[in-house]
Amino acid sequence: MSGFLMKRLLQAIFVVLVVTLFVAYAVRLSGDPALMLAQGAGSVTEEDLRNIREGLGLERPFAVQYFEFLRGAVVGDLGKSFMGGTPVSRLIADALPATLALALVSLFLSVLVSVPLGIQAAVHKGKGTDQCIRILSLVGLSFPNFWLAIMLVLLLSITFPLLPPSGWDGPISLVMPALTMAIILSATNVRLVRTAMLETLSAQYIMVARAKGLKDRVVLYKHALRNCAIPLITYIGLQFGNLVGGLVVVERVFNWPGLGTLAFEAIASRDYPVLQGTVTVLSVLIVAVNLLVDIAYGLVDPRIRTK
């Protein structure tokens, strides 16, 4: 088991290094932050811009900047924002709880909806219930997350003013962004649950359980669902990466005070340290969740430890 853990940990570290290297290089192609800082200062000469770049440390070679970022990141120092000098770690610490809350609530709502619907679709395979659930999931897959978010704002905040359209106004502000992501996730999870349940329901032990006279609810939820839970848990864990990617867009639409909004603001202001730190934290979260899923799967199925 120790060899399996070490292998997965080394892979995770390598992925984080590749992501941070790519992001560090890509953000420097997005524009010159010196121009953003010089706006509103009247006429600015090239020498003034050069002095600003030197003050920000941008005149040094890229390799030097990157390795200084890595050295600081190891001890939790992600640098300081170009726009105001606030430590990036503090900005991320303020925004991270909002993103995690939105991600967890979205996952919870998705599981709450997709598991019962997937089971019903499997039980009524080929019938009207199955067809309706599959069509609904296909419709959900067809919605871009930003379009669905805008439609929910129009429906629940403008046409029917039931919920705040954006920002943070208490826990009720969590409803629309979480609902947006839950609909997108449920569309995929329903199909996954249906497929896993169909395979499980055809197993011999399910036939034996039914032959013993057990109620359908006991057979479905105590026996069948428990035995197909491993691939479901694995997929939901791996789905966290797609969830975080979708949250970046959804947070911007709803002006949610999370890492997505922080990243968009950093892009607009060419704030390299904030954008680099935000993407690094998001990549570490995704890699950490995937690593935990790998470890859990290795504990459940010893055969995976040799792969």
Side-chain angles (χ1 to χ4, degrees), residues 74-97:
V74 171
V75 296
D77 182 8
L78 298 174
K80 294 184 178 180
S81 170
F82 288 165
M83 310 298 167
T86 306
V88 175
S89 55
R90 184 188 304 172
L91 295 174
I92 292 176
D94 292 340
L96 183 58

Side-chain angles (χ1 to χ4, degrees), residues 106-107 110 114 180-190 239 243:
S106 299
L107 275 176
S110 172
S114 60
T180 301
M181 293 307 304
I183 291 174
I184 302 296
L185 295 175
S186 297
T188 302
N189 291 342
V190 164
Q239 197 181 44
L243 173 62

Side-chain angles (χ1 to χ4, degrees), residues 74-256:
V74 171
V75 296
D77 182 8
L78 298 174
K80 294 184 178 180
S81 170
F82 288 165
M83 310 298 167
T86 306
V88 175
S89 55
R90 184 188 304 172
L91 295 174
I92 292 176
D94 292 340
L96 183 58
T99 293
L100 291 179
L102 183 53
L104 293 176
V105 172
S106 299
L107 275 176
F108 175 76
L109 290 177
S110 172
V111 172
L112 195 64
V113 171
S114 60
V115 170
L117 288 180
I119 292 175
Q120 291 303 311
V123 171
H124 300 91
K125 178 185 177 182
K127 298 180 181 179
T129 301
D130 182 28
Q131 296 296 335
C132 288
I133 293 175
R134 293 172 66 184
I135 290 173
L136 286 175
S137 67
L138 182 60
V139 172
L141 287 171
S142 304
F143 289 150
N145 51 13
F146 66 89
W147 181 87
L148 181 59
I150 293 172
M151 291 300 103
L152 287 177
V153 170
L154 291 175
L155 178 64
L156 300 178
S157 294
I158 297 178
T159 305
F160 303 101
L162 301 175
L163 298 171
S166 63
W168 173 257
D169 191 22
I172 195 172
S173 300
L174 188 60
V175 174
M176 274 202 295
L179 184 60
T180 301
M181 293 307 304
I183 291 174
I184 302 296
L185 295 175
S186 297
T188 302
N189 291 342
V190 164
R191 290 174 171 265
L192 179 68
V193 173
R194 177 184 180 275
T195 301
M197 285 296 296
L198 285 175
E199 294 178 359
T200 304
L201 290 176
S202 61
Q204 187 174 4
Y205 69 88
I206 296 295
M207 300 179 185
V208 173
R210 283 176 170 165
K212 290 181 177 179
L214 296 179
K215 295 181 180 180
D216 285 343
R217 179 175 293 275
V218 175
V219 172
L220 291 175
Y221 288 93
K222 185 176 180 179
H223 295 281
L225 183 58
R226 287 181 62 182
N227 282 277
C228 69
I230 292 178
L232 298 180
I233 293 173
T234 303
Y235 179 78
I236 290 173
L238 297 177
Q239 197 181 44
F240 187 79
N242 294 330
L243 173 62
V244 170
L247 286 180
V248 171
V249 177
V250 171
E251 284 186 6
R252 185 57 178 170
V253 173
F254 290 104
N255 196 27
W256 186 254

